[in-house]
């Protein structure tokens, strides 16, 4: 077979079916072991500073990543409040959620009974006021006045166990400075048109399956409680974004995939006038996709990121070139095996050079790029090898010779008439460089949020809801890192007097820390020590009640609670599980295997240097206290990521040039192949900058894909040599390849998802530039001279 003999049609069809079944079986086996991941941290570099580590930890596993912000609108406030309460009740016992809050839990009835005695350890009252006779007498006199006021209904149920109203003190103490307004006992926005809820999921924000289940549960519960109402539900937050973007990506992928498939089949039918070509041509592509997925699933068992798969399957723009060049060069008198052997030097050079370029990502220090590298290398290798060793057995050995096409001959004659560019290329490069350097605006996009495929309007809506719910400004955060949670809590608690002074002077609007809700162990012990023992308290009560309007035994529950608080085990982070305090503490106290981090969120900070000085003064050998600028941390993380990608691209460029040079063994031939690709990269960047686009990671990786396409186009034009017939066949192949790739990425450029739009625009622009420049630069000058000297077209 390899020597030139061809199979009978029936055998070719049987081999094609066997190949297809093998691909389907391999795909089924791969899908059984394939785990998908939506964790953005896979596309972030390893953290090298405390700021970056905190940012990445909070991004992936922190409570902030698990928050869903819910807004109900479209009906009367009374109806929305009723629906808010019903929705909260429906979700409260669902194990998929750890916290469901709508403002109703601000009431005293929601305070867990088991924690009620701990109010004396949680409240700061005992720090300055002993529970003595004078204090109790004053408090009881105040309660008599309360019972004669409109507040009697609130106070009376509390009196037996809490005559000092410590529960109310705590409620006021814990109330956020910018809490949303309450209408009909639930949270509403400032306009009073949206009922607000805050939901914390058990699943991490970038656990796509867990977040999908949580979002689906909320939507289903809302449909149940809405009834015939016109109300609508809106959700934002990392989990909601991942679900919405995942669903929209899937819908757009299905639409784009359907249009692409129809367009590609029609294009191949028109180009080759054979129904077999589309069927046979898809086999190397399918094999490449399954091989890439299988390799990544095997080498990365913790999950394949969706971005890896999205980028990987755009490699159809490169992989499709291999069978198309083979189809376009097949003709009578040349066996398929001889044809593929003649094409193999150019094809293998392109594959090796592209794989070497992507292999540099293995050393980038970024897990997502390593996955992309593995996918690419295995996919390209399998596509090339299947084209070389399997595809020749399937195709008709004597199709129409495309070099005899009158249309292609006339097109080639017009191309021959074009002047070969010389100085004009230098002018193009200079103009592109000038556009890159002189274009106004930032060159790089350093906003970490731009690495996510969340549209700007969705991010703006999320910001608005967070503002309505009173979320603090998280740019500046005080951080205390210690060996355990208690040391971290104690360190931040010691900062409270200085922070209170900044608030009093107007230099700081407010702050929040876990120590407000969970005092450090030494603070709790001090408050326990300040509580009188049971006999002392009862003697004090007897003395106070002797001349009081209250009965002598009216406050036995109070005495029992004080004794319980005095002797109870200290309150810990685990004690708060399932309570309204759990969310507040978990968001400000991060506990890891190697220690704990206590955060102090700061709002309205005028001069960061003031707080930085406090942190420096509080730092000890045991506790590292510092002020973190999270904006700077995110920007430095993006810059470091970009630096690694750029270094990888620089190494890839050097290796690519070296591999092409070694394969062609001629500086002039290598220059003709590389120049169109290098110029295209310059033109892409120049056009993007002129359009005001700030470059991101996705533009860089898309440019690598565009460079791979350009390398293939130039290699095959150069490989055609001075044989005019081969030049025409190559022109046909490159035309088909570029049109197919342009169709795929032009559709992506129209996507509503910014990431896909960036990839599509970049590669589509690269396809056009690569085709034109490769055609003008990479073809041999001798082919033009020979064509002018001969009246006919050589075979």
């Amino acid at each position: 077979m390899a020597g030139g003999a061809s199979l009978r049609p029936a055998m070719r069809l049987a081999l094609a079916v066997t190949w297809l079944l093998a691909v389907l079986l391999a795909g089924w086996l791969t899908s059984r072991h394939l785990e998908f991941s939506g964790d953005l941290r896979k596309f972030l570099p390893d953290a090298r500073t405390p700021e970056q580590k905190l940012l990445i930890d909070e991004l992936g596993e922190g409570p902030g990543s698990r928050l869903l912000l819910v807004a109900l609108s479209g009906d009367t406030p009374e109806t929305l409040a009723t629906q808010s309460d019903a929705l909260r009740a429906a979700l409260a016992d669902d194990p998929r959620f750890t916290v469901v809050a709508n403002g109703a839990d601000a009431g005293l009835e929601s305070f867990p009974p088991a924690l009620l005695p701990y109010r004396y350890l949680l409240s700061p009252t005992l720090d300055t006021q002993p529970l003595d006779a004078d204090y109790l007498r004053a408090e009881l006199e105040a309660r008599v006045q309360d019972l004669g006021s409109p507040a009697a209904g609130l106070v009376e149920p509390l009196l037996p166990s809490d005559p000092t109203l410590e529960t109310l003190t705590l409620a006021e103490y814990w109330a956020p400075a910018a809490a949303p307004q309450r209408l009909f006992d639930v949270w509403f926005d400032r306009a009073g048109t949206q009922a607000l809820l805050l939901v914390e999921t058990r699943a991490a924000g970038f656990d796509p399956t867990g977040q999908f289940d949580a979002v689906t549960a909320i939507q289903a519960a809302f449909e149940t409680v809405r009834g015939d109402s016109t109300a609508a539900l809106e959700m934002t937050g990392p989990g909601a974004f991942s679900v919405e973007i995942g669903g929209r990506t899937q819908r757009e992928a299905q639409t784009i995939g359907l249009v692409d498939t129809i367009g590609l089949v029609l294009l191949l039918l028109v180009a080759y006038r054979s129904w077999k070509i589309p069927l046979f041509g898809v086999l190397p592509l399918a094999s490449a996709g399954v091989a890439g997925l299988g390799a990544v699933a095997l080498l990365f068992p913790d999950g394949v990121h969706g971005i890896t798969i999205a980028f990987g399957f755009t490699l159809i723009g490169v992989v499709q070139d291999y069978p198309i060049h083979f189809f376009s060069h097949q003709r009578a008198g040349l066996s398929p095996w001889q044809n593929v052997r003649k094409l193999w030097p150019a094809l293998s050079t392109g594959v090796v050079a592209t794989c070497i370029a992507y292999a540099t990502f293995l050393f980038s220090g970024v897990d997502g790029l390593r996955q992309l590298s593995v996918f690419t290398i295995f996919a390209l290798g399998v596509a090339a090898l299947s084209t070389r060793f399997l595809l020749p057995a399937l195709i008709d050995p004597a199709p129409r010779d495309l070099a005899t096409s009158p249309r292609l001959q006339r097109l080639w004659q017009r191309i021959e008439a074009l002047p070969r560019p010389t100085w004009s290329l230098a002018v193009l490069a200079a103009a592109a460089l000038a556009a890159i350097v002189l274009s106004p605006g930032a060159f790089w996009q350093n906003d970490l949020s731009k690495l996510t495929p969340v549209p700007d309007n969705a991010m703006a809506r999320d910001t608005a809801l967070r503002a309505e719910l009173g979320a603090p400004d998280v740019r500046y955060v005080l951080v205390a890192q210690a060996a355990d949670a208690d040391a971290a809590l104690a360190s931040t608690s010691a900062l409270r007097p200085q922070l209170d002074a900044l608030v009093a002077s107007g230099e700081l609007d407010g702050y929040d820390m876990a120590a407000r809700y969970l005092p450090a162990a030494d603070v709790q012990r001090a408050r326990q020590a300040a509580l009188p023992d049971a006999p002392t308290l009862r003697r004090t009560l007897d003395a106070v009640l002797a001349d009081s309007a209250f009965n002598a035994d009216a406050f036995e529950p109070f005495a029992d609670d004080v004794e319980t608080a005095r002797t109870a085990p200290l309150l810990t982070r685990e004690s708060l599980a399932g309570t309204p305090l759990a969310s507040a503490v978990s968001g400000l106290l991060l506990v890891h295997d190697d220690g704990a981090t206590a955060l102090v969120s700061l709002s309205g900070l005028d001069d960061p240097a003031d707080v930085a000085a406090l942190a420096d003064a509080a730092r000890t050998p045991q506790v590292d206290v510092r002020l973190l600028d999270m904006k700077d941390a995110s920007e430095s993380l993006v810059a470091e990521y970009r630096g690694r990608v750029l270094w990888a691209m620089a190494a890839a460029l050097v290796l690519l040039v070296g591999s092409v040079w070694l394969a062609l063994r001629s500086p002039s031939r290598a220059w003709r192949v590389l120049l169109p690709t290098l110029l295209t990269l310059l033109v892409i960047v120049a056009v993007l900058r002129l359009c005001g686009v700030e470059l991101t990671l996705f533009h860089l990786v898309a440019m690598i894909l565009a460079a791979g396409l350009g390398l293939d186009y130039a290699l095959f034009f150069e490989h055609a040599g001075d044989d005019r017939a081969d030049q025409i066949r190559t022109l046909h192949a490159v035309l088909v390849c570029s049109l197919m790739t342009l169709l795929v990425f032009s559709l992506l450029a129209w996507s509503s998802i910014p990431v896909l739009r960036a990839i599509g625009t970049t590669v589509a622009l690269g396809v056009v530039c690569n085709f034109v420049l490769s055609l003008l630069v990479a073809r041999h000058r001798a082919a033009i001279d020979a064509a002018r000297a001969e009246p006919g077209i050589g075979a």
Side-chain angles (χ1 to χ4, degrees), residues 222-312:
F222 176 70
E223 289 301 321
T224 300
V225 304
R226 180 174 62 174
D228 297 330
S229 168
T230 59
L233 177 142
E234 180 183 15
M235 271 186 287
T236 68
F241 288 151
S242 68
V243 172
E244 195 273 335
I245 291 298
R248 186 143 53 93
T249 301
Q250 183 178 5
R251 292 191 298 272
E252 290 196 6
Q254 290 173 345
T255 302
I256 291 174
L258 178 62
V259 176
D260 280 343
T261 301
I262 295 173
L264 297 182
V265 169
L266 292 176
L267 182 59
L268 290 176
L269 288 174
V270 172
Y272 296 103
R273 301 178 186 177
S274 170
W275 62 269
K276 297 179 183 178
I277 293 299
L279 298 180
F280 293 160
V282 78
L283 291 174
L285 306 186
S287 302
V290 171
L293 282 178
V296 176
L298 181 64
L299 297 177
F300 298 90
D302 58 332
V304 182
H305 201 284
I307 294 178
T308 300
I309 297 173
F311 270 128

Side-chain angles (χ1 to χ4, degrees), residues 428-443:
L428 176 64
L433 285 172
I436 293 170
V437 173
L438 300 177
S439 293
F443 189 91

Side-chain angles (χ1 to χ4, degrees), residues 638-657:
V638 173
E640 185 171 337
Y641 191 0
R642 181 175 62 244
R644 295 192 189 187
V645 173
L646 289 174
W647 274 112
M649 290 180 67
L653 181 61
V654 172
L655 293 173
L656 185 147
V657 171

Side-chain angles (χ1 to χ4, degrees), residues 183-203:
L183 299 177
F184 305 102
D185 296 324
V186 301
W187 287 332
F188 268 80
D189 66 343
R190 284 184 285 270
T193 59
Q194 296 183 102
L196 306 177
L197 296 94
L198 194 65
V199 179
E200 183 177 309
T201 64
R202 194 171 300 278

Side-chain angles (χ1 to χ4, degrees), residues 716-782:
F716 278 98
F717 273 125
E718 201 284 332
H719 177 263
D722 58 4
D723 186 329
R724 191 170 189 270
D726 252 5
Q727 291 278 18
I728 294 176
R729 297 183 191 105
T730 300
L731 174 64
H732 178 272
V734 175
L735 272 172
V736 175
C737 290
S738 57
L739 287 174
M740 290 176 66
T741 307
L742 191 61
L743 172 64
V744 171
F745 287 97
S746 294
L747 290 172
L748 284 181
W750 287 97
S751 170
S752 65
I753 299 172
V755 171
L756 298 182
R757 192 161 60 242
I759 297 170
T761 303
T762 303
V763 178
L765 181 61
V767 168
V768 175
C769 294
N770 276 318
F771 177 79
V772 173
L773 290 173
S774 296
L775 187 62
L776 295 177
V777 175
R779 74 182 192 274
H780 280 249
R781 186 183 301 272

